[in-house]
């Protein structure tokens, strides 16, 4: 059996469904901790505006999971009550199926990803960047990071990018889907706003813990923005 990762994006429309999803940020752990074959998971909220913001977006949530194999993931998506409730309450959702290609750093002291794929410059890539921000660095971080999020808008090769987190302000991550790794690398190393923040990250020592991972997507199920996700 080979490990896989899934990232499910949920969009909720009504106040009651948004409130339900918000409560599951805590209540959902009871269900998720009992799931067979689940090695690691996070229930994540998102940011307003273009997705990476100190202001929460109560209409978008992400369920990020690492599985022993795709068979366990399939059973969960087809049979699990918690997931079925989320699915039923969502106006739309999409799940990305991913193989891990590389990972550096830690998430709550763990590094959950096993390498099962190899990156290619002309093939799609999904990128996860995650950090726990030092409390005394919050103002410095948030005063700079907004410009990076804005610089992503309309960037060549970007399919989808969402800023997510477990706790507002302090624990933040970005999940982005790119048509090719070369287009992602072009943004990472040539975009002046992104380069500036990378340099400031080291200079100002913003993070208490950080993780950077890349994945090769091999399947998308569902829709986002009213259409299937295509890369």
């Amino acid at each position: 059996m080979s490990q896989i990762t899934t990232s499910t994006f949920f969009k909720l429309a009504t106040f009651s469904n948004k409130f339900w999803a918000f409560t599951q940020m805590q209540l959902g752990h009871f269900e998720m901790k009992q799931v067979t074959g689940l090695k690691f998971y996070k229930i994540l909220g998102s940011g307003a505006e273009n997705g990476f913001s100190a202001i929460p977006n109560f209409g978008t949530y992400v369920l990020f999971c690492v599985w022993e194999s795709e068979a366990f993931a399939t059973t969960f998506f087809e049979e699990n009550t918690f997931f079925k409730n989320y699915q039923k309450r969502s106006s739309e959702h999409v799940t990305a199926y991913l193989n891990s290609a590389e990972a550096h750093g830690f998430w709550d002291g763990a590094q959950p990803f096993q390498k099962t794929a190899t990156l290619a410059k002309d093939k799609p890539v999904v990128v996860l960047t995650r950090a726990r921000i030092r409390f005394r660095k919050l103002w410095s971080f948030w005063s700079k990071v907004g410009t990076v999020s804005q610089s992503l808008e309309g960037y060549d090769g970007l399919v989808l990018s969402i800023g997510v987190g477990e706790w507002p302000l302090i624990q933040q991550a970005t999940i982005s889907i790119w048509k090719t790794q070369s287009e992602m690398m072009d943004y990472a190393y040539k975009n002046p706003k992104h380069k500036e923040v990378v340099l400031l990250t080291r200079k100002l020592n913003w993070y208490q813990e950080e993780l950077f991972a890349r994945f090769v997507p091999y399947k998308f199920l569902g829709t986002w923005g009213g259409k299937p996700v295509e890369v």
Side-chain angles (χ1 to χ4, degrees):
M1 293 190 296
S2 180
Q3 183 193 87
I4 72 157
T5 298
T6 59
S7 184
T8 303
F9 304 85
F10 298 98
K11 191 172 289 184
L12 301 105
T14 67
F15 174 81
S16 61
N17 287 334
K18 290 177 181 179
F19 180 75
W20 178 87
F22 177 74
T23 65
Q24 298 312 301
M25 293 281 290
Q26 291 300 317
L27 299 179
H29 293 294
F30 176 78
E31 293 271 0
M32 294 301 295
K33 288 177 180 178
Q34 302 179 63
V35 175
T36 303
L38 183 61
K39 303 295 291 182
F40 180 89
Y41 77 92
K42 292 293 177 182
I43 304 171
L44 304 166
S46 70
E49 299 169 352
N50 60 349
F52 200 84
S53 169
I55 303 169
N57 171 10
F58 295 107
T60 300
Y61 292 84
V62 175
L63 180 61
F64 188 87
C65 301
V66 181
W67 304 93
E68 291 181 12
S69 72
E70 185 174 341
F72 287 112
T74 300
T75 299
F76 173 79
F77 293 135
E78 291 180 353
E79 302 177 6
N80 184 267
T81 302
F82 172 66
F83 181 78
K84 287 296 183 182
N85 284 338
Y86 228 131
Q87 192 177 42
K88 190 181 302 181
R89 290 173 178 271
S90 300
S91 57
E92 67 175 342
H93 60 90
V94 64
T95 298
Y97 288 74
L98 316 169
N99 286 317
S100 176
E102 62 178 49
H104 307 284
F106 298 92
W107 197 334
D108 289 345
Q111 204 295 78
F113 309 113
Q114 297 175 4
K115 180 179 172 65
T116 57
T118 301
L119 296 168
K121 290 183 179 180
D122 60 344
K123 299 296 183 182
V125 62
V126 173
V127 179
L128 166 70
T129 58
R130 181 265 170 186
R132 181 193 297 267
I133 306 161
R134 297 180 190 278
F135 186 79
R136 67 180 185 276
K137 301 287 185 175
L138 287 175
W139 173 254
S140 172
F141 174 81
W142 284 110
S143 66
K144 296 291 185 181
V145 77
T147 58
V148 177
S149 297
Q150 293 162 12
S151 72
L152 268 168
E153 293 181 359
Y155 210 86
D156 288 344
L158 180 66
V159 177
L160 173 66
S161 178
I162 294 183
V164 295
E166 300 156 80
W167 292 98
L169 298 177
I170 295 174
Q171 296 194 44
Q172 295 295 321
T174 302
I175 301 172
S176 56
I177 303 171
W178 297 81
K179 291 180 180 178
T180 66
Q181 186 189 195
S182 61
E183 288 169 305
M184 182 277 292
M185 296 292 283
D186 183 71
Y187 169 78
Y189 291 100
K190 295 182 181 179
N191 184 282
K193 294 295 184 182
H194 185 267
K195 288 172 63 177
E196 177 190 4
V197 167
V198 170
L199 291 172
L200 287 173
T201 296
R202 306 306 170 206
K203 180 181 179 181
L204 302 178
N205 194 23
W206 277 336
Y207 304 145
Q208 182 178 335
E209 181 185 62
E210 58 184 311
L211 172 73
F212 176 78
R214 296 179 188 173
F215 306 85
V216 176
Y218 66 92
K219 181 167 61 175
F220 294 93
L221 294 180
T223 64
W224 197 255
K227 58 185 179 181
V229 174
E230 296 179 354
V231 293

